[in-house]
Amino acid sequence: MVNRTNSLWGAIRDNGAQLFFQASTLFNSFTLQDARDHHTSCSALQGLALTQDLTILNSTYYGEGLTGAPIQVVPSCQTPAFNLGAGDVTSPLCRVRFKIDTSETSVVNAEIWLPDNWNGRFLAVGNGGLGGCVDYRSLDYGSALGFATVGSNNGHDGGSGEAFFNSPEVVNDFAHRAIHVQTLAGKQIAQAYYGQSHEKSYYLGCSTGGRQGFMSAMRYPEDFDGIVAGSPAVNFNRLTGSGAMLARYVGAPNAIGDGNPSFIPKETWKFVSQEILRQCDELDGLKDGIITEPDLCDFQPERLLCNDAERVSEECLSVPQVEALKKIYSPLRDSNGNVLFSRYDPGSEGALFAFSNLFAGEMFPIASDWYKYVVYNNSDYDFRNFGVKDVEFGAEMDPGGIATFTGDMSAFKARGGKLLTYHGRSDELIPSGNSKALYDLVSRSLDLPSLDSFYRLFLVPGLDHCFWGKGATNFNQHDLTRGPEATRNLSSHNVLLALVDWVEKDDAPDVIVGTSMAGEERKHCRYPWRSVWDKESETFDCVL
């Protein structure tokens, strides 16, 4: 099987001067600076030929009076996170849809939004879950801020893993290739449209998008000058394996049908969450319903054990249920007792999607699809005997090199790249300890006690997975979490703009300021600093 990626992008690299001359000739009569004819410039992109494996499908201009037109989304991506409605294309721009043939059996569909108010910067955005879906909200968010913004379907449509079945090249797109090729192609298209190259290149993503950001820094260090990688799904095979094990602890794959005694009903989880807060809420010095440092929480689930085994209720637990909680809030270990993956953070169980994704008594969908369609390549795989041995096998196999868990980030550091990452301490899908483990791995590998010069991790108390949560969890990390208008464009309150200041002004962020729905603010500390309540000043301070 011929992989076209090297030949395609090698041609772009080697013939860059020729391609730029071609683009300049095509647009020299109506550049944005000279003619200001956005509509004509946008339409002309449809006739631009860069390489045989890059095809521009169409280009549409959304000018004054045309913004707000609905964006058509493929049926498998009809979710609130990706489905833009009328009024969501918020600034005049040229929308260019294109495709890249990455091999004989794989293709990446992508689009770039080229705003009239271009700030000279390039931005790539990532994906979520096993998707599969263009993140239109992030495309709109980035372009509204003035970035030429590119996103793709990550090599397949939809959030299911079925597209991976018997399709190793599609797995390769998902694991590492899609972001790279969308970025190289997007930069070429943007240069053609604006008649000049970008000044700086950035990346923004969370969850799978966070993993893609780290993958870019590790495998393609030249792609971006700065990367925002939120709640990253790194150590991917062990992460999905851990998700499968969490589901197994409460009786998956068919806990309710089998009458599994370990299953904990949704109503009972409310009391579990309340007990965890009772035991650990005030460890930071303030009772506010938020566990600032879950690693200090030694949750003892036996305190919920029913006094009378014959009278198990929603407000107390049976012995099998207590044993399930002990496993959930302990690290996942291999057959030799070594830690395979971080434990579930106490306090995360109260988040919106915890029950529906992990503890509903069925297999966690992302883990199920990854093991069925990729690791075992068996659509009929039976999870009733799934165990630690399967997690170990998936990690050893590492399909597509997707793990994204290496300590060698020397190339990204050497070229002056900056990486800003954040992780919620109430993340219901990815334990925040996973981000700490990667930071510590990089620190050991590079033999650096502090990574502050190029890599900063912010642990955010109360933040669920990527956005929302209790407390000051909005710092403009996504279109869904835009802060108050007064602070939206302040780098102190906007994680993307903070990265821009770091890259372009060498102004590294020591804290990120979050805002709650009620308008209350809190400074979030960079790791390894911790957030502790100061009773005298009545504020949270960062301490080592």
Side-chain angles (χ1 to χ4, degrees), residues 41-224:
S41 300
C42 186
S43 298
L45 285 174
Q46 295 185 120
L48 183 63
L50 293 177
T51 71
Q52 63 179 0
D53 294 322
L54 169 62
T55 304
I56 293 180
L57 303 175
N58 59 60
S59 56
T60 306
Y61 183 69
Y62 294 80
E64 296 292 345
L66 295 177
T67 56
I71 298 295
Q72 296 297 319
V73 179
V74 297
S76 54
C77 292
Q78 294 284 353
T79 64
F82 304 106
N83 186 17
L84 284 179
D88 283 309
V89 181
T90 55
S91 59
L93 55 83
C94 175
R95 177 193 178 201
V96 185
R97 297 177 61 243
F98 60 96
K99 72 180 183 74
I100 309 156
D101 296 317
T102 52
S103 76
E104 294 176 351
T105 58
S106 58
V107 60
V108 171
N109 288 302
E111 49 187 276
I112 184 168
W113 290 18
L114 303 162
D116 291 0
N117 64 330
W118 186 45
N119 58 21
R121 302 181 180 102
F122 178 87
L123 177 69
V125 298
N127 304 89
L130 294 181
C133 293
V134 176
D135 188 348
Y136 287 105
R137 289 189 178 275
S138 288
L139 282 175
D140 182 70
Y141 182 49
S143 58
L145 286 172
F147 294 80
T149 308
V150 67
S152 77
N153 74 340
N154 210 11
H156 66 283
D157 289 329
S160 165
E162 293 183 48
F164 301 141
F165 188 54
N166 288 322
S167 302
E169 291 296 342
V170 178
V171 173
N172 284 333
D173 281 342
F174 174 75
H176 68 86
R177 194 164 53 195
I179 295 296
H180 180 56
V181 298
Q182 79 177 39
T183 297
L184 294 177
K187 288 178 178 179
Q188 292 290 315
I189 296 170
Q191 179 174 306
Y193 181 69
Y194 292 116
Q196 65 185 70
S197 180
H198 62 277
E199 296 177 2
K200 294 293 181 181
S201 176
Y202 296 93
Y203 174 84
L204 176 68
C206 190
S207 191
T208 286
R211 184 195 63 77
Q212 291 167 318
F214 271 94
M215 177 64 80
S216 296
M218 295 171 178
R219 188 161 183 160
Y220 306 106
E222 297 297 324
D223 282 359
F224 303 110

Side-chain angles (χ1 to χ4, degrees), residues 214 217-218 406-415 417 419 438-455:
F214 271 94
M218 295 171 178
T406 174
D408 186 6
M409 294 181 64
S410 55
F412 184 72
K413 177 181 182 296
R415 59 95 65 197
L419 193 150
L438 178 55
Y439 184 98
D440 294 342
L441 175 62
V442 174
S443 179
R444 293 193 303 271
S445 298
L446 299 183
D447 194 23
L448 293 172
S450 172
L451 305 178
D452 279 356
S453 65
F454 79 102
Y455 173 9

Side-chain angles (χ1 to χ4, degrees), residues 244-258:
M245 291 302 297
L246 290 173
R248 291 280 291 143
Y249 293 152
V250 292
N254 186 29
I256 298 177
D258 294 339

